[in-house]
Amino acid sequence: MQHETLSAGFGTVISVRGSLARIGLLAASKLERAEVRATVGRFISIRCANSTIVAMITEVTCENMSPADDYIAIASVDLLGEIVNASVRPKFQRGVTNYPTIGDAAELITREELRAVYAPTGSDQINVGTLQQDQSVIAYVDVEEMLSKHFAVLGSTGVGKSSGVSLLLNEILKSRPHLRIFLLDVHNEYGRCFGDHALVLNPRNLKLPFWLFNFEEIVDVLFAGRPGVPEELDILAEVLPIAKGVYTQYQNSDRIGLKRVDPKTIGYTADTPVPYRLVDLISLIDERMGKLENRSSRIIYHKLISRIETVRNDPRYAFMFDNANVGGDTMAEVISHLFRLPANGRPMTIMQLAGFPAEVVDSVVSVLCRMAFDFGLWSDGVSPLLFVCEEAHRYASADRNIGFGPTRKAVSRIAKEGRKYGVYLGLVTQRPAELDPTIISQCNTLFAMRLANERDQALLRSAVSDAAANLLSFIPSLGTREVLAFGEGVALPTRLRFKEVPPHQLPRSEATIATVPSVAAGHDMHFVSAVLERWRGATSHREVPNDPGPTERPIARSIEAPLLQPSLGLDPDRFSLLKKPLR
């Protein structure tokens, strides 16, 4: 155990350069060997005339020393900040105003000095764990700085990253009960971590009408993630705005004295988020196909209609197409439900993505990111939202040829401009090198856990300031739950240990799934049948007996709009033209 006060004679300054200094460690130290422990990662204090400089040891060596020296070793240290007014009320500030001089005394930092460095500066601090150097000193994070300037949690698989995210979000919820949080849960592991504070959404209880998708996103759905056929895209771009205009006429048709308006003159674009019906879309394409005489041109229209019908009839896409127009324009209900306005005691949404068809996950994430940003933009940021993106490298890859462009663009907009409109970003990734560097550079508080990959470490070095760069040599050897925190949210670049997460807040992957199967589980044929029932149920329209029911549904609004079903059917012989022989 370290003494509260240490006798002088630990070491003296022998060289100073910029933010670095070298300390000669004295052989005649009165401290016991176990207490000195002048090793990498320890904090030391250098006594100057008007302040005490706080520094961290980054290297210790006794090479190239002559036997005549008084020192047993030489330590290289990074100068991190200084404590001023030490005698009255010690206050820590970053940066160094008074540099040490040759011969200034250096000592191991006392517990009081450490507490002065890490003392909470206001009520906006959350307790995330303890310092690795001294377990009795609590590590605080400034919530305002961490949220408003975005943050990222980085670390390889199995280092406690998910439980770290659960800890941070639970502490943020305690500190900011009115902040809304939207979490993209890629592996369905956070469903139980936030108890009654969170609404859990999945394909079975989500309603995200297809008409909320913009042109690029609906094309991605129709073409299952592959590039669209240019001729078909031209047709779609032409008829989409007209279909939206036709639907507006339906809504207005009951109002007396309203003139019939030409759908083309309403002024909608393919991206305007207003409802339309697929039956109108198909009718408009069909109508154009009927006017053509060239058979090869008709085939393009035929293929496009087939694509739309295939996707609409696929039960996996029911969350987009089933009853999408019932209730008319339900955009307000959808946004209120997704982004918890009003929160009704549940300020958090967990979007479980594992059950969605792989082909549409990117476009669904794009819609959610885009709507989160746009709502913040058009509401002038009056209701702040934290958007947490798990496995962020999947949606905003550094390689522009991988992934879905609009998703990267949507995440990037939140990173670059979100703070002006009250939309904050939290990124979680195990491969920071694969993440778009412009997005990670916007995250001003980083929690780095163990990273084994050399490219990931190199990216981290380029993202942090010089004063913290030497700390990054610890990254490959950090233990589980150990974190290097640096940036705006913490007083100093800090090596800390996240506190234990209560069992009920542990993510599922870390809490229950073990390599040894449970004997009590009773893996018989009934078990396999029940799993298959759920599996098949996810790709069929019927209700599944074993399926956990929806937790909460958006309230359908009664409106004068007609009850428009996804399809009213068309003449089954409408493709007969294609079957006629060419003359």
Side-chain angles (χ1 to χ4, degrees):
M1 196 67 183
Q2 181 182 320
H3 288 317
E4 290 298 320
T5 54
L6 299 172
S7 55
F10 171 68
T12 56
V13 176
I14 55 175
S15 82
V16 182
R17 178 170 62 87
S19 64
L20 307 173
R22 299 178 77 213
I23 310 286
L25 304 181
L26 299 168
S29 171
K30 297 186 178 67
L31 298 175
E32 292 178 21
R33 217 30 165 183
E35 287 174 332
V36 176
R37 296 296 295 156
T39 187
V40 171
R42 295 300 291 267
F43 286 113
I44 63 161
S45 53
I46 302 170
R47 309 276 181 243
C48 294
N50 303 320
S51 63
T52 300
I53 293 175
V54 177
M56 176 180 273
I57 300 177
T58 55
E59 185 187 0
V60 182
T61 179
C62 62
E63 293 174 0
N64 306 324
M65 289 177 58
S66 71
D69 281 341
D70 294 336
Y71 313 123
I72 53 168
I74 291 175
S76 299
V77 298
D78 271 357
L79 308 178
L80 301 173
E82 56 190 354
I83 298 171
V84 291
N85 293 337
S87 54
V88 190
R89 189 167 172 230
K91 182 175 181 294
F92 175 76
Q93 61 188 34
R94 289 191 190 199
V96 179
T97 51
N98 300 307
Y99 278 85
T101 56
I102 304 299
D104 278 351
E107 299 170 13
L108 283 177
I109 199 162
T110 65
R111 191 167 287 166
E112 279 74 30
E113 287 168 334
L114 265 184
R115 288 210 174 103
V117 171
Y118 288 101
T121 51
S123 59
D124 249 4
Q125 311 275 328
I126 54 172
N127 165 3
V128 296
T130 54
L131 293 194
Q132 192 264 348
Q133 168 158 337
D134 187 337
Q135 304 288 322
S136 71
V137 179
I138 293 173
Y140 289 98
V141 174
D142 186 314
V143 183
E144 181 59 35
E145 290 288 334
M146 172 175 139
L147 292 178
S148 65
K149 297 178 182 172
H150 310 316
F151 69 94
V153 181
L154 318 169
S156 304
T157 305
V159 297
K161 192 166 71 268
S162 297
S163 53
V165 172
S166 171
L167 167 71
L168 286 170
L169 294 184
N170 271 297
E171 290 292 330
I172 290 170
L173 275 173
K174 274 189 227 163
S175 168
R176 295 285 174 87
H178 300 299
L179 175 75
R180 295 168 302 118
I181 300 178
F182 192 96
L183 171 64
L184 290 179
D185 183 3
V186 177
H187 302 299
N188 293 11
E189 56 188 353
Y190 292 99
R192 56 182 235 141
C193 294
F194 305 97
D196 295 336
H197 294 299
L199 166 69
V200 181
L201 292 177
N202 51 43
R204 295 182 296 277
N205 66 347
L206 174 70
K207 288 283 171 269
L208 193 68
F210 65 88
W211 47 263
L212 282 174
F213 287 56
N214 69 16
F215 184 69
E216 286 177 302
E217 290 154 357
I218 200 71
V219 164
D220 194 59
V221 171
L222 294 176
F223 288 85
R226 294 186 297 274
V229 179
E231 293 88 345
E232 294 181 40
L233 297 189
D234 291 343
I235 300 165
L236 202 57
E238 182 193 345
V239 295
L240 259 176
I242 303 172
K244 291 177 180 183
V246 169
Y247 182 80
T248 305
Q249 287 188 333
Y250 285 132
Q251 284 191 303
N252 295 336
S253 60
D254 294 339
R255 300 183 191 168
I256 300 160
L258 198 71
K259 286 192 299 186
R260 292 283 292 173
V261 184
D262 181 0
K264 294 180 183 175
T265 64
I266 289 180
Y268 290 146
T269 69
D271 290 337
T272 311
V274 293
Y276 61 95
R277 299 189 311 163
L278 288 182
V279 64
D280 293 331
L281 194 67
I282 292 172
S283 296
L284 288 162
I285 299 168
D286 196 49
E287 185 186 316
R288 280 160 175 67
M289 184 169 75
K291 292 175 182 171
L292 294 170
E293 294 184 4
N294 184 335
R295 181 181 172 186
S296 60
S297 301
R298 288 202 299 266
I299 286 173
I300 296 166
Y301 287 78
H302 180 199
K303 278 185 178 169
L304 180 56
I305 292 175
S306 301
R307 271 187 221 286
I308 295 169
E309 297 212 312
T310 303
V311 172
R312 182 191 60 199
N313 296 326
D314 187 333
R316 297 175 308 152
Y317 294 79
F319 69 94
M320 287 173 62
F321 296 105
D322 267 14
N323 302 326
N325 293 103
V326 171
D329 185 354
T330 52
M331 187 169 177
E333 282 77 20
V334 170
I335 282 184
S336 163
H337 184 64
L338 279 175
F339 299 125
R340 313 310 302 141
L341 286 157
N344 296 329
R346 291 181 170 189
M348 181 168 184
T349 310
I350 298 171
M351 176 60 72
Q352 295 189 329
L353 295 172
F356 285 91
E359 306 88 353
V360 295
V361 168
D362 279 348
S363 40
V364 167
V365 171
S366 176
V367 174
L368 297 170
C369 283
R370 184 172 53 77
M371 291 204 307
F373 179 85
D374 283 346
F375 190 81
L377 169 68
W378 297 111
S379 66
D380 291 330
V382 293
S383 185
L385 169 75
L386 168 62
F387 198 96
V388 184
C389 195
E390 172 79 72
E391 299 282 2
H393 57 275
R394 289 172 53 161
Y395 306 113
S397 172
D399 184 347
R400 298 268 157 174
N401 300 318
I402 297 175
F404 183 46
T407 314
R408 179 197 285 104
K409 196 161 67 182
V411 176
S412 180
R413 275 184 86 193
I414 295 178
K416 290 174 183 169
E417 305 167 48
R419 53 178 298 200
K420 300 171 194 165
Y421 307 113
V423 185
Y424 310 129
L425 186 63
L427 296 179
V428 186
T429 179
Q430 52 185 306
R431 292 305 317 274
E434 289 181 12
L435 193 60
D436 189 331
T438 57
I439 291 175
I440 202 164
S441 68
Q442 302 288 334
C443 295
N444 286 348
T445 304
L446 296 178
F447 297 94
M449 304 180 88
R450 187 165 68 243
L451 284 168
N453 187 286
E454 184 59 45
R455 278 179 59 220
D456 295 333
Q457 293 169 36
L459 178 118
L460 214 51
R461 273 185 211 102
S462 66
V464 303
S465 62
D466 292 340
N470 286 325
L471 266 178
L472 296 177
S473 51
F474 298 130
I475 288 276
S477 58
L478 288 173
T480 301
R481 294 211 337 267
E482 272 193 5
V483 191
L484 278 183
F486 34 86
E488 302 288 340
V490 286
L492 270 186
T494 308
R495 186 172 174 180
L496 59 93
R497 178 181 284 272
F498 276 150
K499 61 185 181 186
E500 285 275 1
V501 177
H504 65 277
Q505 290 178 3
L506 274 176
R508 185 182 63 91
S509 60
E510 302 189 22
T512 58
I513 297 181
T515 49
V516 182
S518 161
V519 181
H523 293 174
D524 54 8
M525 285 301 288
H526 292 296
F527 166 75
V528 176
S529 301
V531 171
L532 287 184
E533 189 75 25
R534 286 184 69 182
W535 185 348
R536 285 175 176 159
T539 53
S540 67
H541 282 300
R542 60 204 172 79
E543 288 296 316
V544 187
N546 294 321
D547 208 28
T551 51
E552 189 183 327
R553 285 186 185 277
I555 304 141
R557 186 166 60 171
S558 58
I559 217 169
E560 291 137 20
L563 291 180
L564 301 170
Q565 295 307 319
S567 167
L568 301 177
L570 282 168
D571 175 11
D573 300 324
R574 68 182 185 278
F575 297 136
S576 55
L577 280 170
L578 293 169
K579 297 169 189 161
K580 288 184 180 175
L582 284 171
R583 290 178 185 171

